[in-house]
CSV table of all heavy atoms in Angstrom, one decimal:
chain,number,residue,atom,x,y,z
A,480,ASP,N,-33.7,29.5,-42.6
A,480,ASP,CA,-32.8,28.4,-42.6
A,480,ASP,C,-31.5,28.8,-41.9
A,480,ASP,O,-30.9,28.0,-41.1
A,480,ASP,CB,-32.5,28.0,-44.0
A,480,ASP,CG,-33.6,27.1,-44.6
A,480,ASP,OD1,-34.6,26.8,-43.8
A,480,ASP,OD2,-33.6,26.8,-45.8
A,481,LYS,N,-31.0,30.0,-42.2
A,481,LYS,CA,-29.7,30.4,-41.6
A,481,LYS,C,-29.9,30.5,-40.1
A,481,LYS,O,-28.9,30.2,-39.3
A,481,LYS,CB,-29.2,31.7,-42.1
A,481,LYS,CG,-28.7,31.6,-43.5
A,481,LYS,CD,-27.9,32.7,-44.0
A,481,LYS,CE,-27.3,32.4,-45.4
A,481,LYS,NZ,-26.7,33.5,-46.0
A,482,LEU,N,-31.0,31.0,-39.6
A,482,LEU,CA,-31.3,31.0,-38.2
A,482,LEU,C,-31.2,29.6,-37.6
A,482,LEU,O,-30.6,29.4,-36.5
A,482,LEU,CB,-32.7,31.7,-37.9
A,482,LEU,CG,-33.1,31.7,-36.5
A,482,LEU,CD1,-32.1,32.6,-35.7
A,482,LEU,CD2,-34.5,32.2,-36.3
A,483,LEU,N,-31.9,28.7,-38.3
A,483,LEU,CA,-31.9,27.3,-37.7
A,483,LEU,C,-30.5,26.8,-37.6
A,483,LEU,O,-30.1,26.1,-36.6
A,483,LEU,CB,-32.7,26.4,-38.7
A,483,LEU,CG,-34.2,26.6,-38.6
A,483,LEU,CD1,-34.9,25.7,-39.6
A,483,LEU,CD2,-34.8,26.3,-37.2
A,484,ILE,N,-29.6,27.1,-38.6
A,484,ILE,CA,-28.2,26.6,-38.6
A,484,ILE,C,-27.5,27.2,-37.3
A,484,ILE,O,-26.9,26.5,-36.6
A,484,ILE,CB,-27.5,27.0,-39.8
A,484,ILE,CG1,-28.1,26.2,-41.0
A,484,ILE,CG2,-26.0,26.8,-39.7
A,484,ILE,CD1,-27.5,26.6,-42.4
A,485,GLN,N,-27.7,28.5,-37.1
A,485,GLN,CA,-27.1,29.2,-35.9
A,485,GLN,C,-27.6,28.6,-34.6
A,485,GLN,O,-26.8,28.4,-33.7
A,485,GLN,CB,-27.3,30.7,-36.0
A,485,GLN,CG,-26.4,31.3,-37.0
A,485,GLN,CD,-26.2,32.8,-36.8
A,485,GLN,OE1,-26.5,33.3,-35.6
A,485,GLN,NE2,-25.8,33.5,-37.8
A,486,VAL,N,-28.9,28.3,-34.6
A,486,VAL,CA,-29.5,27.7,-33.4
A,486,VAL,C,-28.8,26.4,-33.1
A,486,VAL,O,-28.4,26.0,-32.0
A,486,VAL,CB,-31.0,27.6,-33.5
A,486,VAL,CG1,-31.6,26.7,-32.4
A,486,VAL,CG2,-31.7,29.0,-33.4
A,487,SER,N,-28.7,25.6,-34.2
A,487,SER,CA,-28.1,24.3,-34.0
A,487,SER,C,-26.7,24.3,-33.5
A,487,SER,O,-26.3,23.5,-32.7
A,487,SER,CB,-28.2,23.5,-35.3
A,487,SER,OG,-27.3,23.9,-36.3
A,488,GLU,N,-26.0,25.4,-34.0
A,488,GLU,CA,-24.6,25.5,-33.5
A,488,GLU,C,-24.6,25.8,-32.0
A,488,GLU,O,-23.8,25.3,-31.3
A,488,GLU,CB,-23.9,26.6,-34.3
A,488,GLU,CG,-23.4,26.1,-35.7
A,488,GLU,CD,-23.1,27.3,-36.6
A,488,GLU,OE1,-23.2,28.5,-36.2
A,488,GLU,OE2,-22.7,27.0,-37.8
A,489,ARG,N,-25.5,26.8,-31.6
A,489,ARG,CA,-25.5,27.1,-30.2
A,489,ARG,C,-25.9,25.9,-29.3
A,489,ARG,O,-25.3,25.7,-28.3
A,489,ARG,CB,-26.5,28.2,-30.0
A,489,ARG,CG,-26.1,29.6,-30.5
A,489,ARG,CD,-27.0,30.7,-30.2
A,489,ARG,NE,-26.6,31.8,-30.9
A,489,ARG,CZ,-27.1,33.0,-30.8
A,489,ARG,NH1,-28.1,33.2,-29.9
A,489,ARG,NH2,-26.7,34.0,-31.5
A,490,LEU,N,-26.8,25.1,-29.8
A,490,LEU,CA,-27.2,24.0,-29.0
A,490,LEU,C,-26.1,23.0,-28.9
A,490,LEU,O,-25.8,22.4,-27.8
A,490,LEU,CB,-28.4,23.2,-29.7
A,490,LEU,CG,-29.7,24.0,-29.7
A,490,LEU,CD1,-30.8,23.2,-30.4
A,490,LEU,CD2,-30.2,24.2,-28.2
A,491,ASN,N,-25.3,22.8,-30.0
A,491,ASN,CA,-24.2,21.9,-29.9
A,491,ASN,C,-23.2,22.4,-28.9
A,491,ASN,O,-22.5,21.6,-28.2
A,491,ASN,CB,-23.5,21.8,-31.3
A,491,ASN,CG,-23.9,20.5,-32.0
A,491,ASN,OD1,-24.1,19.6,-31.3
A,491,ASN,ND2,-23.9,20.6,-33.3
A,492,LEU,N,-23.0,23.7,-28.7
A,492,LEU,CA,-22.1,24.2,-27.7
A,492,LEU,C,-22.6,24.0,-26.3
A,492,LEU,O,-21.8,24.0,-25.3
A,492,LEU,CB,-21.9,25.7,-27.9
A,492,LEU,CG,-21.1,26.1,-29.2
A,492,LEU,CD1,-21.0,27.6,-29.4
A,492,LEU,CD2,-19.7,25.5,-29.1
A,493,CYS,N,-23.9,23.9,-26.1
A,493,CYS,CA,-24.5,23.7,-24.8
A,493,CYS,C,-24.3,22.3,-24.2
A,493,CYS,O,-24.5,22.1,-23.0
A,493,CYS,CB,-26.0,24.0,-24.8
A,493,CYS,SG,-26.4,25.7,-25.0
A,494,VAL,N,-24.0,21.3,-25.1
A,494,VAL,CA,-24.0,19.9,-24.6
A,494,VAL,C,-22.6,19.3,-24.7
A,494,VAL,O,-21.7,19.9,-25.3
A,494,VAL,CB,-25.0,19.1,-25.4
A,494,VAL,CG1,-26.3,19.6,-25.4
A,494,VAL,CG2,-24.5,19.0,-26.9
A,495,GLY,N,-22.5,18.2,-24.0
A,495,GLY,CA,-21.2,17.5,-23.9
A,495,GLY,C,-21.1,16.5,-25.1
A,495,GLY,O,-22.0,16.4,-26.0
A,496,ILE,N,-19.9,15.9,-25.2
A,496,ILE,CA,-19.6,15.0,-26.3
A,496,ILE,C,-20.5,13.8,-26.4
A,496,ILE,O,-20.7,13.2,-27.5
A,496,ILE,CB,-18.1,14.7,-26.3
A,496,ILE,CG1,-17.6,14.2,-27.6
A,496,ILE,CG2,-17.8,13.7,-25.2
A,496,ILE,CD1,-16.1,14.4,-27.8
A,497,GLU,N,-21.0,13.4,-25.3
A,497,GLU,CA,-21.8,12.1,-25.2
A,497,GLU,C,-23.2,12.4,-25.6
A,497,GLU,O,-24.0,11.5,-25.9
A,497,GLU,CB,-21.8,11.6,-23.8
A,497,GLU,CG,-20.5,11.4,-23.2
A,497,GLU,CD,-20.0,10.0,-23.5
A,497,GLU,OE1,-20.7,9.0,-23.2
A,497,GLU,OE2,-18.9,9.9,-24.0
A,498,ASP,N,-23.6,13.7,-25.6
A,498,ASP,CA,-25.0,14.0,-25.8
A,498,ASP,C,-25.3,14.2,-27.3
A,498,ASP,O,-24.4,14.4,-28.1
A,498,ASP,CB,-25.3,15.4,-25.1
A,498,ASP,CG,-24.9,15.3,-23.6
A,498,ASP,OD1,-24.9,14.2,-23.1
A,498,ASP,OD2,-24.5,16.4,-23.1
A,499,THR,N,-26.6,14.0,-27.6
A,499,THR,CA,-27.0,14.1,-29.0
A,499,THR,C,-27.9,15.3,-29.2
A,499,THR,O,-28.9,15.4,-28.5
A,499,THR,CB,-27.7,12.9,-29.5
A,499,THR,OG1,-26.9,11.7,-29.2
A,499,THR,CG2,-28.1,12.9,-30.9
A,500,VAL,N,-27.6,16.2,-30.2
A,500,VAL,CA,-28.5,17.2,-30.5
A,500,VAL,C,-29.2,16.8,-31.9
A,500,VAL,O,-28.4,16.6,-32.8
A,500,VAL,CB,-27.8,18.6,-30.7
A,500,VAL,CG1,-28.8,19.6,-31.1
A,500,VAL,CG2,-27.1,18.9,-29.4
A,501,ALA,N,-30.5,16.7,-31.9
A,501,ALA,CA,-31.1,16.2,-33.2
A,501,ALA,C,-32.1,17.3,-33.6
A,501,ALA,O,-32.6,18.1,-32.8
A,501,ALA,CB,-31.8,14.9,-33.0
A,502,ARG,N,-32.3,17.3,-34.9
A,502,ARG,CA,-33.4,18.2,-35.4
A,502,ARG,C,-34.5,17.3,-36.0
A,502,ARG,O,-34.3,16.4,-36.8
A,502,ARG,CB,-32.9,19.1,-36.5
A,502,ARG,CG,-33.9,20.0,-37.1
A,502,ARG,CD,-33.4,21.0,-38.1
A,502,ARG,NE,-34.4,21.7,-38.7
A,502,ARG,CZ,-34.5,21.9,-40.0
A,502,ARG,NH1,-33.6,21.4,-40.8
A,502,ARG,NH2,-35.5,22.6,-40.6
A,503,LEU,N,-35.7,17.5,-35.5
A,503,LEU,CA,-36.8,16.7,-35.9
A,503,LEU,C,-37.5,17.2,-37.2
A,503,LEU,O,-38.2,16.5,-37.8
A,503,LEU,CB,-37.9,16.6,-34.8
A,503,LEU,CG,-37.5,15.9,-33.5
A,503,LEU,CD1,-38.7,15.6,-32.7
A,503,LEU,CD2,-36.7,14.7,-33.8
A,504,GLY,N,-37.2,18.4,-37.5
A,504,GLY,CA,-37.8,19.1,-38.6
A,504,GLY,C,-38.4,20.4,-38.2
A,504,GLY,O,-38.5,20.6,-37.0
A,505,GLY,N,-38.6,21.3,-39.2
A,505,GLY,CA,-39.1,22.6,-38.8
A,505,GLY,C,-38.2,23.3,-37.8
A,505,GLY,O,-37.0,23.3,-37.9
A,506,ASP,N,-38.8,23.8,-36.7
A,506,ASP,CA,-38.0,24.5,-35.7
A,506,ASP,C,-37.9,23.6,-34.5
A,506,ASP,O,-37.8,24.1,-33.4
A,506,ASP,CB,-38.6,25.9,-35.4
A,506,ASP,CG,-40.0,25.8,-35.0
A,506,ASP,OD1,-40.6,24.7,-35.2
A,506,ASP,OD2,-40.5,26.7,-34.4
A,507,GLU,N,-38.1,22.3,-34.6
A,507,GLU,CA,-38.1,21.4,-33.5
A,507,GLU,C,-36.7,20.7,-33.3
A,507,GLU,O,-36.2,20.1,-34.2
A,507,GLU,CB,-39.2,20.3,-33.6
A,507,GLU,CG,-40.5,20.9,-33.4
A,507,GLU,CD,-41.6,19.8,-33.6
A,507,GLU,OE1,-41.2,18.8,-34.2
A,507,GLU,OE2,-42.7,20.0,-33.1
A,508,PHE,N,-36.1,20.9,-32.1
A,508,PHE,CA,-34.9,20.3,-31.8
A,508,PHE,C,-35.0,19.4,-30.6
A,508,PHE,O,-35.9,19.7,-29.7
A,508,PHE,CB,-33.8,21.3,-31.5
A,508,PHE,CG,-33.4,22.1,-32.7
A,508,PHE,CD1,-34.1,23.3,-32.9
A,508,PHE,CD2,-32.4,21.7,-33.5
A,508,PHE,CE1,-33.7,24.1,-34.0
A,508,PHE,CE2,-32.0,22.5,-34.6
A,508,PHE,CZ,-32.7,23.7,-34.9
A,509,VAL,N,-34.3,18.3,-30.5
A,509,VAL,CA,-34.3,17.5,-29.3
A,509,VAL,C,-32.9,17.2,-28.9
A,509,VAL,O,-32.0,16.9,-29.7
A,509,VAL,CB,-35.0,16.1,-29.6
A,509,VAL,CG1,-34.9,15.2,-28.4
A,509,VAL,CG2,-36.5,16.4,-29.9
A,510,ILE,N,-32.6,17.3,-27.6
A,510,ILE,CA,-31.3,17.0,-27.0
A,510,ILE,C,-31.5,15.7,-26.2
A,510,ILE,O,-32.3,15.7,-25.3
A,510,ILE,CB,-30.7,18.1,-26.2
A,510,ILE,CG1,-30.5,19.3,-27.1
A,510,ILE,CG2,-29.4,17.7,-25.5
A,510,ILE,CD1,-30.0,20.5,-26.4
A,511,LEU,N,-30.6,14.8,-26.4
A,511,LEU,CA,-30.6,13.5,-25.7
A,511,LEU,C,-29.4,13.5,-24.7
A,511,LEU,O,-28.3,13.6,-25.2
A,511,LEU,CB,-30.6,12.3,-26.6
A,511,LEU,CG,-30.3,10.9,-26.0
A,511,LEU,CD1,-31.6,10.5,-25.3
A,511,LEU,CD2,-30.0,9.9,-27.1
A,512,LEU,N,-29.7,13.4,-23.4
A,512,LEU,CA,-28.6,13.4,-22.5
A,512,LEU,C,-28.6,12.0,-21.8
A,512,LEU,O,-29.4,11.7,-21.0
A,512,LEU,CB,-28.8,14.4,-21.4
A,512,LEU,CG,-28.9,15.9,-21.9
A,512,LEU,CD1,-29.7,16.7,-20.9
A,512,LEU,CD2,-27.5,16.5,-22.0
A,513,PRO,N,-27.6,11.2,-22.2
A,513,PRO,CA,-27.6,9.8,-21.7
A,513,PRO,C,-27.0,9.7,-20.3
A,513,PRO,O,-26.0,10.5,-20.1
A,513,PRO,CB,-26.8,9.0,-22.7
A,513,PRO,CG,-25.9,10.0,-23.3
A,513,PRO,CD,-26.5,11.4,-23.2
A,514,GLU,N,-27.5,8.9,-19.5
A,514,GLU,CA,-26.8,8.6,-18.2
A,514,GLU,C,-26.4,9.8,-17.4
A,514,GLU,O,-25.2,10.0,-17.2
A,514,GLU,CB,-25.6,7.6,-18.3
A,514,GLU,CG,-26.0,6.3,-19.0
A,514,GLU,CD,-25.1,5.2,-18.7
A,514,GLU,OE1,-24.0,5.2,-19.2
A,514,GLU,OE2,-25.5,4.4,-17.9
A,515,VAL,N,-27.4,10.6,-17.0
A,515,VAL,CA,-27.0,11.8,-16.3
A,515,VAL,C,-26.6,11.5,-14.9
A,515,VAL,O,-25.5,12.0,-14.4
A,515,VAL,CB,-28.3,12.8,-16.2
A,515,VAL,CG1,-27.9,14.1,-15.5
A,515,VAL,CG2,-28.7,13.1,-17.7
A,516,ASP,N,-27.4,10.8,-14.1
A,516,ASP,CA,-27.0,10.4,-12.8
A,516,ASP,C,-28.0,9.3,-12.3
A,516,ASP,O,-28.9,9.0,-13.0
A,516,ASP,CB,-27.2,11.6,-11.8
A,516,ASP,CG,-26.2,11.5,-10.7
A,516,ASP,OD1,-26.3,10.6,-9.9
A,516,ASP,OD2,-25.4,12.4,-10.5
A,517,ASP,N,-27.6,8.7,-11.1
A,517,ASP,CA,-28.6,7.7,-10.6
A,517,ASP,C,-29.5,8.3,-9.5
A,517,ASP,O,-30.4,7.6,-9.1
A,517,ASP,CB,-27.8,6.5,-10.1
A,517,ASP,CG,-26.8,6.9,-9.0
A,517,ASP,OD1,-26.6,8.1,-8.8
A,517,ASP,OD2,-26.3,5.9,-8.3
A,518,ASP,N,-29.2,9.5,-9.1
A,518,ASP,CA,-30.1,10.1,-8.1
A,518,ASP,C,-31.1,11.0,-8.8
A,518,ASP,O,-30.7,12.0,-9.5
A,518,ASP,CB,-29.2,10.9,-7.2
A,518,ASP,CG,-30.0,11.6,-6.1
A,518,ASP,OD1,-31.2,11.7,-6.3
A,518,ASP,OD2,-29.4,12.0,-5.0
A,519,ILE,N,-32.4,10.7,-8.7
A,519,ILE,CA,-33.4,11.4,-9.4
A,519,ILE,C,-33.4,12.9,-9.1
A,519,ILE,O,-33.6,13.7,-10.0
A,519,ILE,CB,-34.8,10.8,-9.2
A,519,ILE,CG1,-35.8,11.4,-10.1
A,519,ILE,CG2,-35.2,11.0,-7.7
A,519,ILE,CD1,-36.0,10.5,-11.3
A,520,ASN,N,-33.0,13.3,-7.9
A,520,ASN,CA,-33.0,14.7,-7.5
A,520,ASN,C,-31.9,15.4,-8.3
A,520,ASN,O,-32.1,16.5,-8.8
A,520,ASN,CB,-32.8,14.8,-6.0
A,520,ASN,CG,-34.0,14.4,-5.3
A,520,ASN,OD1,-35.1,14.6,-5.7
A,520,ASN,ND2,-33.7,13.7,-4.2
A,521,LEU,N,-30.7,14.8,-8.4
A,521,LEU,CA,-29.6,15.4,-9.1
A,521,LEU,C,-29.9,15.5,-10.6
A,521,LEU,O,-29.5,16.5,-11.2
A,521,LEU,CB,-28.3,14.6,-8.8
A,521,LEU,CG,-27.8,14.7,-7.4
A,521,LEU,CD1,-26.6,13.8,-7.2
A,521,LEU,CD2,-27.5,16.1,-7.1
Side-chain angles (χ1 to χ4, degrees):
Chain A
D480 283 353
K481 286 195 173 169
L482 177 65
L483 288 176
I484 290 172
Q485 286 202 16
V486 166
S487 73
E488 279 163 3
R489 288 187 192 185
L490 289 179
N491 258 330
L492 289 176
C493 287
V494 302
I496 195 156
E497 306 271 307
D498 308 330
T499 305
V500 180
R502 179 173 170 230
L503 295 194
D506 58 344
E507 287 179 340
F508 294 89
V509 172
I510 296 179
L511 171 69
L512 300 153
E514 300 204 287
V515 179
D516 208 300
D517 58 348
D518 180 341
I519 190 93
N520 292 322
L521 290 177

